[in-house]
Amino acid sequence: MDKITELAKMIDHSLLHPTMTDEDLKKGCELAKAYHTASVCIKPYAVKQAAAWLAGSDVLVCTVIGFPHGNSTTAIKVAETEKACLDGATEIDMVVNIGKVLSHDWAYISDEIKQIHDTCTTHNAILKVIFENDFLPDDSYKIKLCEICSEIGVEFIKTSTGYGYVKQADGSYNYKGATEHDLKLMREHASPQVQVKAAGGIRTLDELLKAKELGVTRIGATATVAMLEEAKKRWNIQTDESVSTSFAGETKGY
């Protein structure tokens, strides 16, 4: 595998912003196909369409469950997972019930993750569990989630949704996303079999390479074109110019 494809296969190209139209989603799938990303992470209603758009390619279909705040009941999350898998998703990114995490209701959290993981396994899909670290006040919550996910045997743990906005001192809302501290912490406290996905704020090649150095094997990103085209320039790798030209404007970082 060449260096560019190796990086592309770390990327779940994110197609989740609320304002994205059906045409945006289709073009995003075409972009992912052209750059051979690992997957598209697409809105749940468009999973079936994405599976059709990506048929015959090496790009997988991923979607989100309980997104972005994790507040749905376990039964609804399981039903969402079942529907997504039947529609063609082979990767599922679920958001934990953050209120239950902050309540230390670990039995609830463990049961919910296990039920969704069991549903994924039944349909030959993999599960990524989103912690939403910006909402967790200290490392003890993240460490406990790493331990639970390791015990259950989920395939990935994930830092953020990219939408975990926290009120700042000036009254505005923002998020940190995938910090170096959290990536190190999650890699250290999860079992070796559990992979780490960084999401929220990975927008440059240097940020992607740093995450890779820290043991991250997948990232969620909207700046796919910008990162991969920068890699080609930096390493002087010649590829099909028509691809980069076709998606030259696709660098918006939602």
Side-chain angles (χ1 to χ4, degrees), residues 169-226:
D170 63 358
S172 66
Y173 284 82
N174 209 334
Y175 68 92
K176 295 178 182 177
T179 66
E180 182 174 333
H181 170 83
D182 284 347
L183 294 176
K184 288 179 178 177
L185 183 83
M186 292 167 72
R187 184 61 283 161
E188 178 183 353
H189 289 279
S191 70
Q193 292 76 26
V194 177
Q195 300 180 66
V196 177
K197 177 176 173 179
I202 306 291
R203 298 189 181 95
T204 68
L205 176 61
D206 286 334
E207 288 167 344
L208 171 57
L209 294 175
K210 183 60 178 180
K212 185 173 185 285
E213 180 185 316
L214 295 174
V216 169
T217 53
R218 198 77 72 86
I219 70 161
T222 57
T224 300
V225 176

Side-chain angles (χ1 to χ4, degrees), residues 16-21 24 43 254:
L16 297 171
H17 196 274
T19 63
M20 296 190 85
T21 64
D24 291 331
K43 301 179 188 185
Y254 287 126

Side-chain angles (χ1 to χ4, degrees), residues 117-128:
H117 188 246
D118 286 347
T119 303
C120 289
T121 300
T122 298
H123 293 282
N124 298 312
I126 70 168
L127 178 63
K128 309 186 197 102

Side-chain angles (χ1 to χ4, degrees), residues 21 33 50 69-70 210 236 239:
T21 64
K33 188 190 297 188
H69 295 135
K210 183 60 178 180
N236 195 27
T239 57

Side-chain angles (χ1 to χ4, degrees), residues 12-82:
D12 291 341
H13 185 58
S14 181
L15 301 171
L16 297 171
H17 196 274
T19 63
M20 296 190 85
T21 64
D22 292 352
E23 184 58 31
D24 291 331
L25 299 181
K26 184 177 182 180
K27 190 170 184 181
C29 286
E30 291 169 353
L31 185 157
K33 188 190 297 188
Y35 281 90
H36 301 281
T37 63
S39 80
V40 294
C41 193
I42 200 163
K43 301 179 188 185
Y45 80 83
V47 167
K48 189 174 288 187
Q49 293 98 311
W53 293 329
L54 294 169
S57 78
D58 59 349
V59 180
L60 302 174
V61 179
C62 172
T63 195
V64 287
I65 302 299
F67 194 85
H69 295 135
N71 293 327
S72 302
T73 65
T74 297
I76 292 298
K77 286 181 176 178
V78 169
E80 274 191 290
T81 303
E82 178 89 16

Side-chain angles (χ1 to χ4, degrees), residues 31 34-35 225-226 228-230 232-233 239-251:
L31 185 157
Y35 281 90
V225 176
L228 295 180
E229 289 300 324
E230 174 60 26
K232 292 176 189 178
K233 290 178 184 176
T239 57
D240 186 353
E241 289 187 9
S242 65
V243 173
S244 58
T245 301
S246 297
F247 301 104
E250 298 299 312
T251 57

